[in-house]
Amino acid sequence: MNWINHRKLMTGLAIATALSTAAVALPVQAATLRMAWSQDATGLDPHKQTAFPSIRLLELVYEPLVRFDADLNVIPAIATSWEFSPDAKTLTFKLDPNAKFTNGAQVTPADVKASFERILNEETAAAARSNFLSIDTIDTPDAETVVFNLKTADVPILVAMATINAAIVPASEIESGTIGTEAIGSGPFKLDSWEPNSREVLSANADWAGGDVKVDGIAISVLPDETAILASLRAGQTDFALLNDPLVATMVPNEANLQLNRVAGLAYNVLQLNPSRPPMDNLKVRQAMSCAINRQEIVDAALAGEGKVTGPLTMPAFAQDPSTLFCYEQDLEKAKQLMAESGVTGFTAKVIGATGEPPVAASEAQVLQAQLAEIGINLEIEMMELNVYVDTWLAGNFDMAVAQNGGRPDPFPMYNRYFTKDGNLLKVSNFVDDTLDTLMREGQAETDPAKRVEIFHKFENHLVEQAPWLWLSTGYGYTAQLKTVSGFVPSPTGTLFGLTEVSIQ
């Protein structure tokens, strides 16, 4: 299968949104971009990080084989080209001979092989390990070629490779055990210093194979909250900022010297239940909770209307109309009936959330608390610092969790970690279901885009009926900048990789 045919195969994974052509700008003087956000990275190991702030930072330092453009097409990164075999069981990459790590070493097929072997090693606890279990062997026949031999046809593996959890790291650093303590990548920037919860300093990587970035570097300040970020922008002390709170973001257009960038995201807000703990192990209890909540009310109250109700499949190429899903319209009578049938008269449970990531977590929990009280469920809310929350979440040590999880352009790498029998985040979902597992594997192996949509619609319908989690909404990704900053293109994935195109006037 040549590259053109491969692109046809991947059309079912892309969002058909055209970008407008940017006007040609006059050259500007490079400078350091002063940036701010309110939540800092929790670690530097690209294979292990799950928190959004860590991913956003590491995407500027490390590179995967391929990445997404703003339309969610798969485009080159370390690899310049790729080709699936006709049966989609072999995937061959050609590497960019100019790709170098910031230690000066060329990126080689040996680094690619070592990186994926590290991801697949259970001892690594890699966040995306399950996405690559179809890999049987990896061949490196010459200095620029890597061949992945797969156990099964696996079209979505290419989408899975387009994330920083599949970053290519130096084999020498893997051997020395320094991954996560030093950030040696091949990306557009070098991490010069990191003071956790305070400041990061990045400099432009002159050896980046992707070309020249238009700023000398980025100085990131971690400010206490997003109102402080807005104040810093207003005062001209910050050039560019990441915003998560819709209440703050919607104030930006009122400022004459500021510009708001707003893009619909693939990430989803969700109430995660723990089906391994009573009474959430009772299907009728979970279904009653789904029927009892008013998702649109949560969007209006907690997100200030900045979002829309969603099912599990947030990507437009696969998404269904949420109103067709089980109990997506609030039905308190049905909820009370299901609770009566469950034999559970009411209960108290603790719901956890992270402070600041997303900023709407506490508000969502409060609305859910009021809604579920209507059927005798008493929610006790516990907000945690992000790093504590992430550790608790990864261990599955909760009754319920208000979460915001990342989306993907394809359902398989988005959900197989949680809902297949060998998923590496089963501790998070605490839910194994034969039907979900079977549909996931069928969707992985199918190469016909239309048939894949049919399979994943069945997956979504069954997942919503089983209600291990209660999907709520998608929202928007926001960045704000001084009008002296230009060139940034936002992405539905929330990546800040568009900073490579930013100029300061």
Side-chain angles (χ1 to χ4, degrees):
M1 182 183 301
N2 61 30
W3 188 82
I4 295 175
N5 286 336
H6 157 69
R7 288 296 295 271
K8 290 180 180 178
L9 180 63
M10 297 299 291
T11 54
L13 310 178
I15 294 179
T17 304
L19 289 177
S20 59
T21 302
V24 176
L26 295 174
V28 294
Q29 184 175 0
T32 295
L33 183 75
R34 300 168 301 168
M35 182 175 152
W37 56 30
S38 62
Q39 291 289 327
D40 200 10
T42 59
L44 299 179
D45 187 333
H47 295 158
K48 298 171 71 170
Q49 295 305 305
T50 59
F52 285 124
S54 300
I55 298 298
R56 294 182 189 112
L57 175 65
L58 297 176
E59 283 174 330
L60 300 175
V61 177
Y62 289 96
E63 287 191 296
L65 287 168
V66 291
R67 61 169 54 91
F68 299 120
D69 67 11
D71 292 328
L72 300 179
N73 298 304
V74 178
I75 62 171
I78 287 176
T80 58
S81 64
W82 55 90
E83 183 179 3
F84 273 109
S85 61
D87 63 359
K89 292 180 69 174
T90 303
L91 179 55
T92 302
F93 289 93
K94 291 292 185 180
L95 305 187
D96 188 335
N98 297 315
K100 291 183 179 180
F101 294 112
T102 52
N103 62 4
Q106 183 177 359
V107 181
T108 68
D111 297 309
V112 176
K113 182 175 182 179
S115 295
F116 277 93
E117 288 176 343
R118 181 176 188 262
I119 291 168
L120 287 167
N121 185 342
E122 284 191 71
E123 294 182 1
T124 303
R129 177 177 178 270
S130 298
N131 291 341
F132 305 111
L133 293 179
S134 65
I135 296 173
D136 187 13
T137 59
I138 304 172
D139 297 331
T140 55
D142 59 51
E144 295 181 8
T145 306
V146 182
V147 181
F148 291 86
N149 303 298
L150 309 176
K151 302 169 188 174
T152 181
D154 190 357
V155 172
I157 195 172
L158 190 66
V159 171
M161 288 177 169
T163 68
I164 212 62
N165 286 148
I168 306 306
V169 301
S172 60
E173 300 299 313
I174 295 174
E175 186 175 349
S176 65
T178 57
I179 305 296
T181 59
E182 299 180 50
I184 299 177
S186 61
F189 295 92
K190 297 186 288 185
L191 181 62
D192 296 326
S193 64
W194 176 40
E195 301 172 39
N197 298 312
S198 177
R199 181 176 175 83
E200 291 91 23
V201 177
L202 300 96
S203 59
N205 179 9
D207 293 327
W208 182 46
D212 294 330
V213 298
K214 298 178 175 61
V215 294
D216 294 329
I218 305 173
I220 304 174
S221 298
V222 184
L223 299 184
D225 55 56
E226 295 193 4
T227 55
I229 291 176
L230 182 57
S232 181
L233 285 163
R234 284 170 171 160
Q237 298 168 340
T238 293
D239 301 309
F240 184 94
L242 175 70
L243 299 175
N244 290 310
D245 191 336
L247 293 174
V248 175
T250 52
M251 298 172 66
V252 172
N254 298 327
E255 301 295 326
N257 64 328
L258 301 183
Q259 174 184 322
L260 178 70
N261 305 308
R262 176 179 180 269
V263 62
L266 299 181
Y268 56 93
N269 300 306
V270 62
L271 177 63
Q272 295 183 199
L273 311 183
N274 186 340
S276 69
R277 292 186 179 180
M280 279 79 70
D281 59 346
N282 187 315
L283 173 60
K284 290 187 182 295
V285 169
R286 301 196 302 270
Q287 290 180 332
M289 293 176 67
S290 183
C291 295
I293 63 177
N294 185 324
R295 292 167 170 84
Q296 186 59 50
E297 184 177 85
I298 296 170
V299 171
D300 294 339
L303 277 68
E306 285 282 291
K308 63 180 182 179
V309 173
T310 188
L313 303 185
T314 62
M315 66 295 292
F318 289 86
Q320 300 186 79
D321 180 351
S323 67
T324 65
L325 300 173
F326 172 82
C327 233
Y328 254 61
E329 301 291 334
Q330 185 185 42
D331 189 337
L332 283 174
E333 291 305 313
K334 186 171 183 178
K336 291 174 181 178
Q337 179 184 341
L338 286 165
M339 283 295 286
E341 293 173 1
S342 74
V344 177
T345 56
F347 63 93
T348 296
K350 181 180 291 184
V351 58
I352 64 170
T355 55
E357 185 75 20
V360 298
S363 297
E364 285 178 321
Q366 290 165 2
V367 179
L368 287 163
Q369 183 184 55
Q371 291 179 352
L372 293 174
E374 294 289 325
I375 59 170
I377 298 174
N378 175 39
L379 289 190
E380 297 177 347
I381 301 171
E382 181 179 359
M383 303 303 295
M384 301 174 168
E385 292 297 323
L386 180 61
N387 59 339
V388 177
Y389 173 87
V390 169
D391 289 344
T392 304
W393 183 83
L394 286 171
N397 186 22
F398 54 82
D399 297 332
M400 305 178 196
V402 173
Q404 185 180 78
N405 295 340
R408 300 285 185 274
D410 187 276
F412 184 80
M414 187 164 168
Y415 285 119
N416 89 89
R417 297 181 292 169
Y418 304 110
F419 298 116
T420 57
K421 292 180 180 178
D422 51 10
N424 60 282
L425 293 181
L426 275 179
K427 283 185 178 179
V428 176
S429 69
N430 290 287
F431 190 72
V432 175
D433 180 271
D434 289 339
T435 300
L436 294 178
D437 186 82
T438 298
L439 289 170
M440 264 280 158
R441 298 189 190 285
E442 288 178 3
Q444 176 189 25
E446 181 57 63
T447 59
D448 181 276
K451 291 180 180 178
R452 297 191 77 239
V453 170
E454 292 178 7
I455 290 167
F456 283 111
H457 282 180
K458 292 178 182 177
F459 168 83
E460 180 174 52
N461 291 338
H462 185 70
L463 184 57
V464 170
E465 288 176 6
Q466 291 298 304
W469 299 354
L470 308 183
W471 279 261
L472 304 174
S473 65
T474 54
Y476 296 93
Y478 308 99
T479 56
Q481 62 194 52
L482 299 182
K483 289 186 176 178
T484 53
V485 174
S486 61
F488 181 75
V489 177
S491 167
T493 65
T495 179
L496 295 178
F497 185 77
L499 291 173
T500 57
E501 298 296 326
V502 160
S503 298
I504 307 173
Q505 297 176 354

